[in-house]
Amino acid sequence: MKLITAVIKPFKLDDVKSALESFGVHGITVTEASGYGRQKGHTEVYRGAEYTVDLVPKVRVEVLVDDADSDDVIEVITKSAQTGRIGDGKVWSTPVDTVVRVRTGERGVDAL
Amino acid sequence: MTPSSGDTAWVLTSAALVLLMTPGLALFYGGMVRAKSVLNMMMMSFGALGLISVLWVLYGYSLSFGNDAGGGLVGNFDFVGLKGLMSAAPLGGVAGESAGIPPLAFVGFQAVFAIITVALISGAIADRAKFSAWMVFAGVWATVVYFPVAHWVFAFDGYTGEVGGWIANDLKAIDFAGGTAVHINAGAAGLALALVLGKRIGFGKEAMRPHNLTLVMIGAGLLWFGWFGFNAGSALGAGNTAAVAWINTMAATAAASLAWLATEKIRDGHATSLGAASGVVAGLVAITPACSSVNAVGAIIVGAVAGVLCALAVALKFKWGYDDSLDVVGVHLVGGIAGTLLIGVLATKDAPAGVDGLLYGGGVDQLWRQAVAAGAVLVFSFVLAYVIGTIIDKTMGFRIPDDAEVTGIDLTTHAESAYELGSVSGSGFHTGAGVGTAKERVDA
C-alpha cells in the first residue's frame, strides 16, 4: 500500500476532491498547511512598514491506496491540481506497512 | 434658574458619544496587535474606563475644575466627591440666549475626556506591560498630569470656579476640545512609556502584523462617530458653535484620510485600509483644538496637512528605534501639535473663536501662544510620565517576563484567549475556580 501526499493550492481542493471521487477513491484526509517552494512568499505593508510573508497557505491532501493504483492516483491529482503557474505544489508517495480500519479491525487492502 | 433643556440634552448626548470612543479605541488598537495580545490591549482601555471614572468623581473633577489653587496650575478640593453639585446653579448661562447646563452634565462630559486621554497612552506599550503596573500608572498619571493639565486648558475663569487655568485665561491659547490637554498630553506620555519599557521582543526584526483590520476599521468608525460629541459637544450648548465644530470635524477627517492614502500610494504603492483608518484618526486629532477657530476650507487644510505629516511620522519609530507600538506619537503627538499650531495660521475672525491667524492678517500673536501651550503640555507630560514610569519599573516592574511576552500576554496575564481557532484543543472543564491561581490550575 502507498500513502499519497499532495500539497496543493487551496482553491484547487474541490477539483482534486471530485477527480479522486470519480476515480473511485473512497476517503481522503485534508489539512490546512503553509509553506513555500520556488514560489516564495509575498510582501505586505502596514503604516509604511514592509513585512515579507514567507509562508503561503496550502492544503495537504492525503490518500491511502493499493500499490496498483498509486501511479494513477498521482496522475489524477497532478492533472486536477495543475494551473501551470508557479506554486502549484507537489505530490509524492510513501510505502505503508499496515493499515487498520478502526471500526472493524480489518487489515491491509481490505481496510482501504 | 432652570438649565436650558436643549443645551443639556446635547451635552449629555455628547458625553455618551465620547464615552463610546474608549471602547472604539479598544477595537482600533485591539485589531492592530497580534492575536495573542488583543485582549490585553482592549483591557488597558476598559481598565481606564473603570479607574478614571471613579477617580474623577472622588477628586479628579475637583483638581481640574475646582477654583484655582494658585498660579492657574491646579484646582482646589471644593468639589471632592462632587460635593454640592447635585443642586448647584447651571453653568454658563447667557441672559436671553441660554440658561446654561447643570454642573453634573459638565462633570460627565469632562469625565469621558479624562478616560480616553489615559486610554490613548496604552497604544505605545502593546503586548508587554504588566496590567497591574498599567493600572497604577493610569491612576498616578491622571492625578498628577491629566487633572492639572485639564485645569490649565479647559477651566475658564468664572465657569466652574472664579479663577481657572493659565493656558485658557492668561496665555489665551486656543484649544477648543483638547489638542494639547488630550492628544499632545497622551502622545508625550506614550513616548515616555515606550522609552521606559523598551522594545518588544522581535521589534524591527519579525513581522508584527495587525491581526484583524476589520476591527480597526470598526474602531475608527466608532471613534469618528464619538468624536462629533467630543468636538461639537465642547461648545457646551446646542448652538452655532456646535454646528461649526461638527462640520469642521467632518471636513478635516475626510481630508486627512484621503491625504494619508495618497501619501501611502506614492510612497509604498498601495492605498491600505489601515492607512484609511489611521488617516481618519489623524484628522480627528488635528481638528480637535481647531474646530471652533477655522472655517470649513481651513479644516480641510488642517486635515490634509495632518494626514501627510502623520503618515510620514509613523516611520520615525523604526528610524530612531523606539517601540511606540501603535503610533501614539506618530498620530496623537504629531497630529496634536499640527492642529494646535495651525490655529495660529488658519484661524479666522469669522469663526466662533473670533481670532485671526497669520494668513488672515493676525500676525504671529496667536501662533506663539499656541506654540507655548503645545510645548508646555508636551514637556510637562513627557517628564512626569517618564518619572512615574521609571519609579513603577524600579519598584513593581512594568514589563512581563520575556517568556510570557512570547507566549502571549492574553494567556499569561489574563488567563484568556481571544479566539478559539482550532477544534482540537484537548480542553476540559473543571470547577476549580478560586482554588489557586489560574496559572497553577493550567499547569496542574
Side-chain angles (χ1 to χ4, degrees):
Chain A
M1 290 161 296
K2 291 274 188 352
L3 172 66
I4 312 292
T5 308
V7 174
I8 60 170
K9 285 185 169 163
F11 84 99
K12 293 303 277 182
L13 176 62
D14 275 348
D15 293 345
V16 171
K17 203 155 56 95
S18 36
L20 285 172
E21 268 166 25
S22 326
F23 180 79
V25 169
H26 300 304
I28 61 173
T29 304
V30 177
T31 337
E32 288 181 22
S34 49
Y36 66 86
R38 283 183 219 170
Q39 178 192 20
K40 288 295 181 193
H42 59 272
T43 310
E44 298 181 7
V45 191
Y46 297 99
R47 283 186 173 169
E50 260 194 28
Y51 296 122
T52 54
V53 180
D54 295 331
L55 303 178
V56 286
K58 296 282 165 189
V59 166
R60 181 169 58 200
V61 181
E62 287 165 311
V63 197
L64 278 168
V65 296
D66 190 15
D67 286 335
D69 293 332
S70 174
D71 285 344
D72 291 339
V73 168
I74 289 176
E75 183 70 17
V76 166
I77 294 176
T78 309
K79 279 208 173 124
S80 54
Q82 202 168 61
T83 67
R85 286 188 297 276
I86 202 162
D88 270 355
K90 296 239 184 324
V91 191
W92 64 89
S93 70
T94 30
V96 172
D97 292 339
T98 315
V99 176
V100 181
R101 191 189 305 279
V102 173
R103 176 169 55 85
T104 57
E106 290 164 288
R107 287 178 167 262
V109 180
D110 294 338
L112 291 178
Chain B
M1 199 151 91
T2 327
S4 151
S5 59
D7 289 347
T8 306
W10 173 235
V11 172
L12 288 174
T13 304
S14 292
L17 286 175
V18 179
L19 187 121
L20 187 62
M21 288 170 66
T22 299
L25 182 76
L27 289 167
F28 182 70
Y29 278 172
M32 260 189 276
V33 296
R34 289 165 291 177
K36 64 182 180 180
S37 43
V38 49
L39 294 177
N40 172 256
M41 199 66 244
M42 300 181 85
M43 278 293 285
M44 286 197 273
S45 285
F46 275 77
L49 271 165
L51 180 63
I52 307 305
S53 302
V54 171
L55 296 186
W56 187 252
V57 167
L58 293 180
Y59 62 81
Y61 177 76
S62 196
L63 290 184
S64 295
F65 293 101
N67 196 25
D68 189 54
L73 294 175
V74 67
N76 66 11
F77 290 108
D78 279 356
F79 302 134
V80 164
L82 305 183
K83 196 170 52 184
L85 293 180
M86 273 201 287
S87 51
L91 298 173
V94 180
E97 279 185 39
S98 162
I101 59 171
L104 286 184
F106 183 68
V107 171
F109 183 68
Q110 286 293 340
V112 285
F113 277 56
I115 294 165
I116 191 152
T117 306
V118 172
L120 284 171
I121 302 169
S122 66
I125 54 170
D127 305 349
R128 62 197 188 283
K130 273 166 81 170
F131 186 65
S132 53
W134 161 252
M135 292 299 282
V136 170
F137 176 85
V140 176
W141 185 86
T143 303
V144 301
V145 180
Y146 183 81
F147 299 156
V149 169
H151 181 75
W152 301 0
V153 176
F154 293 140
F156 286 91
D157 289 349
Y159 193 73
T160 55
E162 200 181 321
V163 181
W166 70 276
I167 288 182
N169 303 292
D170 305 324
L171 182 63
K172 296 192 192 303
I174 297 171
D175 183 357
F176 189 66
T180 58
V182 175
H183 297 289
I184 293 177
N185 209 357
L191 178 60
L193 279 198
L195 295 174
V196 170
L197 268 79
K199 300 173 210 175
R200 285 170 291 176
I201 296 167
F203 173 75
K205 296 190 196 83
E206 62 186 66
M208 295 181 175
R209 288 183 290 165
H211 88 284
N212 191 337
L213 286 169
T214 50
L215 289 187
V216 174
M217 302 295 267
I218 295 168
L222 287 174
L223 282 168
W224 197 347
F225 176 71
W227 224 294
F228 285 115
F230 202 89
N231 287 358
S234 287
L236 299 175
N240 186 56
T241 307
V244 170
W246 202 105
I247 291 298
N248 283 345
T249 301
M250 181 192 74
T253 307
S257 186
L258 293 176
W260 189 304
L261 288 177
T263 307
E264 279 190 329
K265 178 69 186 163
I266 293 164
R267 183 186 58 192
D268 312 321
H270 303 278
T272 69
S273 61
L274 182 58
S278 307
V280 162
V281 176
L284 289 165
V285 168
I287 199 61
T288 292
C291 59
S292 72
S293 52
V294 299
N295 60 30
V297 176
I300 289 175
I301 297 171
V302 169
V305 170
V308 173
L309 279 181
C310 295
L312 297 174
V314 294
L316 292 176
K317 63 179 179 182
F318 296 110
K319 205 171 163 197
W320 292 342
Y322 61 92
D323 185 1
D324 168 22
S325 315
L326 310 180
D327 300 307
V328 184
V329 176
V331 176
H332 294 274
L333 183 57
V334 171
I337 291 172
T340 302
L341 295 182
L342 281 172
I343 293 170
V345 179
L346 296 166
T348 164
K349 274 212 168 84
D350 297 343
V355 170
D356 273 339
L358 196 56
L359 267 188
Y360 290 87
V364 294
D365 184 63
Q366 194 59 41
L367 186 58
W368 75 258
R369 293 173 195 278
Q370 299 302 117
V372 170
V377 173
L378 197 168
V379 172
F380 182 70
S381 175
F382 178 83
V383 170
L384 282 176
Y386 196 90
V387 170
I388 299 164
T390 305
I391 292 172
I392 291 174
D393 195 42
K394 298 279 186 239
T395 50
M396 63 188 296
F398 217 135
R399 270 186 86 140
I400 58 171
D402 286 359
D403 58 341
E405 185 183 328
V406 172
T407 306
I409 190 168
D410 286 358
L411 192 62
T412 52
T413 292
H414 302 288
E416 292 174 296
S417 324
Y419 307 101
E420 174 63 69
L421 292 171
S423 53
V424 184
S425 65
S427 60
F429 173 78
H430 60 107
T431 54
V435 184
T437 66
K439 186 180 182 316
E440 282 162 10
R441 291 198 299 277
V442 169
D443 290 345

PDB file of all heavy atoms in Angstrom, chain B residues 292-306:
ATOM      1  N   SER B 292     -13.204  75.272  16.392  1.00  0.00           N
ATOM      2  CA  SER B 292     -14.037  76.463  16.610  1.00  0.00           C
ATOM      3  C   SER B 292     -13.391  77.715  16.029  1.00  0.00           C
ATOM      4  O   SER B 292     -13.957  78.799  16.113  1.00  0.00           O
ATOM      5  CB  SER B 292     -14.247  76.684  18.110  1.00  0.00           C
ATOM      6  OG  SER B 292     -13.025  77.138  18.685  1.00  0.00           O
ATOM      7  N   SER B 293     -12.182  77.569  15.463  1.00  0.00           N
ATOM      8  CA  SER B 293     -11.451  78.781  15.094  1.00  0.00           C
ATOM      9  C   SER B 293     -11.112  78.876  13.615  1.00  0.00           C
ATOM     10  O   SER B 293     -10.564  79.875  13.170  1.00  0.00           O
ATOM     11  CB  SER B 293     -10.161  78.881  15.911  1.00  0.00           C
ATOM     12  OG  SER B 293      -9.414  77.687  15.805  1.00  0.00           O
ATOM     13  N   VAL B 294     -11.411  77.813  12.835  1.00  0.00           N
ATOM     14  CA  VAL B 294     -11.138  77.868  11.390  1.00  0.00           C
ATOM     15  C   VAL B 294     -12.460  77.704  10.638  1.00  0.00           C
ATOM     16  O   VAL B 294     -13.465  77.274  11.209  1.00  0.00           O
ATOM     17  CB  VAL B 294     -10.156  76.746  10.952  1.00  0.00           C
ATOM     18  CG1 VAL B 294      -8.826  76.898  11.662  1.00  0.00           C
ATOM     19  CG2 VAL B 294     -10.745  75.363  11.227  1.00  0.00           C
ATOM     20  N   ASN B 295     -12.450  78.066   9.349  1.00  0.00           N
ATOM     21  CA  ASN B 295     -13.632  77.795   8.538  1.00  0.00           C
ATOM     22  C   ASN B 295     -13.497  76.413   7.896  1.00  0.00           C
ATOM     23  O   ASN B 295     -12.479  75.732   8.061  1.00  0.00           O
ATOM     24  CB  ASN B 295     -13.879  78.905   7.510  1.00  0.00           C
ATOM     25  CG  ASN B 295     -12.710  79.068   6.547  1.00  0.00           C
ATOM     26  OD1 ASN B 295     -12.007  78.102   6.245  1.00  0.00           O
ATOM     27  ND2 ASN B 295     -12.494  80.298   6.072  1.00  0.00           N
ATOM     28  N   ALA B 296     -14.502  76.001   7.144  1.00  0.00           N
ATOM     29  CA  ALA B 296     -14.520  74.623   6.648  1.00  0.00           C
ATOM     30  C   ALA B 296     -13.373  74.337   5.689  1.00  0.00           C
ATOM     31  O   ALA B 296     -12.828  73.235   5.664  1.00  0.00           O
ATOM     32  CB  ALA B 296     -15.863  74.323   5.991  1.00  0.00           C
ATOM     33  N   VAL B 297     -12.975  75.342   4.887  1.00  0.00           N
ATOM     34  CA  VAL B 297     -11.835  75.138   3.988  1.00  0.00           C
ATOM     35  C   VAL B 297     -10.548  75.042   4.805  1.00  0.00           C
ATOM     36  O   VAL B 297      -9.678  74.202   4.529  1.00  0.00           O
ATOM     37  CB  VAL B 297     -11.751  76.279   2.943  1.00  0.00           C
ATOM     38  CG1 VAL B 297     -10.507  76.115   2.083  1.00  0.00           C
ATOM     39  CG2 VAL B 297     -13.001  76.282   2.072  1.00  0.00           C
ATOM     40  N   GLY B 298     -10.462  75.875   5.822  1.00  0.00           N
ATOM     41  CA  GLY B 298      -9.327  75.769   6.736  1.00  0.00           C
ATOM     42  C   GLY B 298      -9.258  74.384   7.362  1.00  0.00           C
ATOM     43  O   GLY B 298      -8.174  73.808   7.522  1.00  0.00           O
ATOM     44  N   ALA B 299     -10.415  73.839   7.690  1.00  0.00           N
ATOM     45  CA  ALA B 299     -10.456  72.498   8.297  1.00  0.00           C
ATOM     46  C   ALA B 299      -9.916  71.446   7.334  1.00  0.00           C
ATOM     47  O   ALA B 299      -9.198  70.523   7.740  1.00  0.00           O
ATOM     48  CB  ALA B 299     -11.885  72.155   8.716  1.00  0.00           C
ATOM     49  N   ILE B 300     -10.250  71.598   6.050  1.00  0.00           N
ATOM     50  CA  ILE B 300      -9.724  70.650   5.054  1.00  0.00           C
ATOM     51  C   ILE B 300      -8.200  70.737   5.010  1.00  0.00           C
ATOM     52  O   ILE B 300      -7.504  69.717   4.942  1.00  0.00           O
ATOM     53  CB  ILE B 300     -10.341  70.939   3.659  1.00  0.00           C
ATOM     54  CG1 ILE B 300     -11.818  70.536   3.666  1.00  0.00           C
ATOM     55  CG2 ILE B 300      -9.571  70.205   2.566  1.00  0.00           C
ATOM     56  CD1 ILE B 300     -12.557  70.880   2.395  1.00  0.00           C
ATOM     57  N   ILE B 301      -7.677  71.964   5.099  1.00  0.00           N
ATOM     58  CA  ILE B 301      -6.219  72.124   5.077  1.00  0.00           C
ATOM     59  C   ILE B 301      -5.602  71.504   6.339  1.00  0.00           C
ATOM     60  O   ILE B 301      -4.613  70.767   6.254  1.00  0.00           O
ATOM     61  CB  ILE B 301      -5.835  73.619   4.963  1.00  0.00           C
ATOM     62  CG1 ILE B 301      -6.358  74.178   3.639  1.00  0.00           C
ATOM     63  CG2 ILE B 301      -4.318  73.806   5.059  1.00  0.00           C
ATOM     64  CD1 ILE B 301      -6.241  75.685   3.506  1.00  0.00           C
ATOM     65  N   VAL B 302      -6.198  71.774   7.504  1.00  0.00           N
ATOM     66  CA  VAL B 302      -5.699  71.177   8.753  1.00  0.00           C
ATOM     67  C   VAL B 302      -5.645  69.653   8.614  1.00  0.00           C
ATOM     68  O   VAL B 302      -4.645  69.002   8.933  1.00  0.00           O
ATOM     69  CB  VAL B 302      -6.598  71.558   9.955  1.00  0.00           C
ATOM     70  CG1 VAL B 302      -6.253  70.729  11.198  1.00  0.00           C
ATOM     71  CG2 VAL B 302      -6.461  73.042  10.267  1.00  0.00           C
ATOM     72  N   GLY B 303      -6.741  69.068   8.093  1.00  0.00           N
ATOM     73  CA  GLY B 303      -6.798  67.613   7.954  1.00  0.00           C
ATOM     74  C   GLY B 303      -5.761  67.091   6.975  1.00  0.00           C
ATOM     75  O   GLY B 303      -5.061  66.111   7.255  1.00  0.00           O
ATOM     76  N   ALA B 304      -5.649  67.750   5.823  1.00  0.00           N
ATOM     77  CA  ALA B 304      -4.720  67.271   4.793  1.00  0.00           C
ATOM     78  C   ALA B 304      -3.283  67.322   5.295  1.00  0.00           C
ATOM     79  O   ALA B 304      -2.505  66.377   5.094  1.00  0.00           O
ATOM     80  CB  ALA B 304      -4.879  68.104   3.522  1.00  0.00           C
ATOM     81  N   VAL B 305      -2.922  68.430   5.962  1.00  0.00           N
ATOM     82  CA  VAL B 305      -1.556  68.553   6.492  1.00  0.00           C
ATOM     83  C   VAL B 305      -1.302  67.451   7.521  1.00  0.00           C
ATOM     84  O   VAL B 305      -0.275  66.768   7.488  1.00  0.00           O
ATOM     85  CB  VAL B 305      -1.351  69.947   7.127  1.00  0.00           C
ATOM     86  CG1 VAL B 305      -0.036  69.999   7.900  1.00  0.00           C
ATOM     87  CG2 VAL B 305      -1.382  71.027   6.053  1.00  0.00           C
ATOM     88  N   ALA B 306      -2.273  67.246   8.416  1.00  0.00           N
ATOM     89  CA  ALA B 306      -2.102  66.225   9.453  1.00  0.00           C
ATOM     90  C   ALA B 306      -2.002  64.831   8.839  1.00  0.00           C
ATOM     91  O   ALA B 306      -1.205  63.998   9.279  1.00  0.00           O
ATOM     92  CB  ALA B 306      -3.244  66.289  10.456  1.00  0.00           C
TER      93      ALA B 306
END
